[in-house]
């Protein structure tokens, strides 16, 4: 909707399997026609090239969740692109994974993370699969310890993304483009802390 200016009924992407229709005019396409440098950096599979989101950009980068690089890498890649195009009119979209699994957590961070001596199945990299299985199965268990670990991992990811956004904004300031650049920060989903299985 943000990239086409159309509601869901207009662009047709009403499920996680839908692809961006090729005939739609995109914001990136309009930017290119107007001589504006346009780039998108995403860490989300649903806005990858497989779903048609690589169309019309001068530069497009998708960071797969299975890559070894941290999810916040897209902010640093976007900052590098910005430095190269600091004299251009530009449109830059960053679609961060933010608090969604998989999460980046070092072994030392996991040791200090609540609950203490956690031995459940909430693994940072495989948490998405685990949550999906729990959601679909009547026999799978999602314990209080799992929930505590989930929100600790979520908080860790949000802090890392806040820091990455700060680094990006510092780059914007260092290139002296902060005064003539409009910045929009938004979220695509609200996570219900009381849900039986969050993120599903």
């Amino acid at each position: 909707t943000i990239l086409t200016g159309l509601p869901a009924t207009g662009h047709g992407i009403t499920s996680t399997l839908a692809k961006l229709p090729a005939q739609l005019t995109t914001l990136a396409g309009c930017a290119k026609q107007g001589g504006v440098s346009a780039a998108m950096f995403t860490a989300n599979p649903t806005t990858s090239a497989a779903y048609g989101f690589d169309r019309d950009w001068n530069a497009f980068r998708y960071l797969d969740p299975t890559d070894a690089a941290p999810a916040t890498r897209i902010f640093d890649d976007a900052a590098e692109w910005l430095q190269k195009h600091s004299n251009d009119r530009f449109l830059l979209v960053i679609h961060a994974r933010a608090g969604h699994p998989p999460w980046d957590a070092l072994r030392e961070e996991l040791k200090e993370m609540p609950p203490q001596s956690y031995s459940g199945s909430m693994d940072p990299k495989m948490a998405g699969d685990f949550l999906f299985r729990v959601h679909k199965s009547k026999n799978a268990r999602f314990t209080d310890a799992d929930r505590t670990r989930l929100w600790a991992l979520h908080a860790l990811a949000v802090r890392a993304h806040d820091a990455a956004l700060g680094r990006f904004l510092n780059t914007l300031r260092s290139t002296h483009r902060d005064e003539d650049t409009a910045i929009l920060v938004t979220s695509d989903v609200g996570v219900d802390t009381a849900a039986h299985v969050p993120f599903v």
Side-chain angles (χ1 to χ4, degrees), residues 126-147:
M126 303 303 295
D129 292 335
F130 170 64
L131 292 170
F132 183 77
R133 289 197 309 272
V134 172
H135 179 71
K136 289 296 182 183
S137 173
K138 294 180 180 179
N139 299 321
R141 296 186 62 223
F142 185 62
T143 67
D144 289 340
D146 292 331
R147 184 178 293 274

Side-chain angles (χ1 to χ4, degrees), residues 65-125:
T66 62
D67 287 355
T72 54
R73 171 69 182 270
I74 59 168
F75 286 93
D76 300 321
D77 290 345
E80 183 179 337
W81 181 89
L82 176 61
Q83 288 174 322
K84 294 177 181 177
H85 296 84
S86 60
N87 294 322
D88 301 342
R89 291 188 302 151
F90 64 85
L91 167 68
L92 177 57
V93 174
I94 302 172
H95 188 188
R97 199 155 63 238
H100 286 276
W103 294 295
D104 301 309
L106 301 175
R107 183 176 300 175
E108 295 75 18
E109 292 171 321
L110 293 174
K111 287 180 181 178
E112 299 297 323
M113 193 175 289
Q116 290 296 314
S117 303
Y118 175 74
S119 59
S121 300
M122 189 60 62
D123 175 84
K125 294 299 183 186

Side-chain angles (χ1 to χ4, degrees), residues 177-197:
R177 294 301 305 270
D178 53 315
E179 292 184 4
D180 67 351
T181 299
I183 303 168
L184 172 65
V185 179
T186 186
S187 173
D188 65 341
V189 67
V191 179
D192 183 0
T193 58
H196 171 57
V197 183

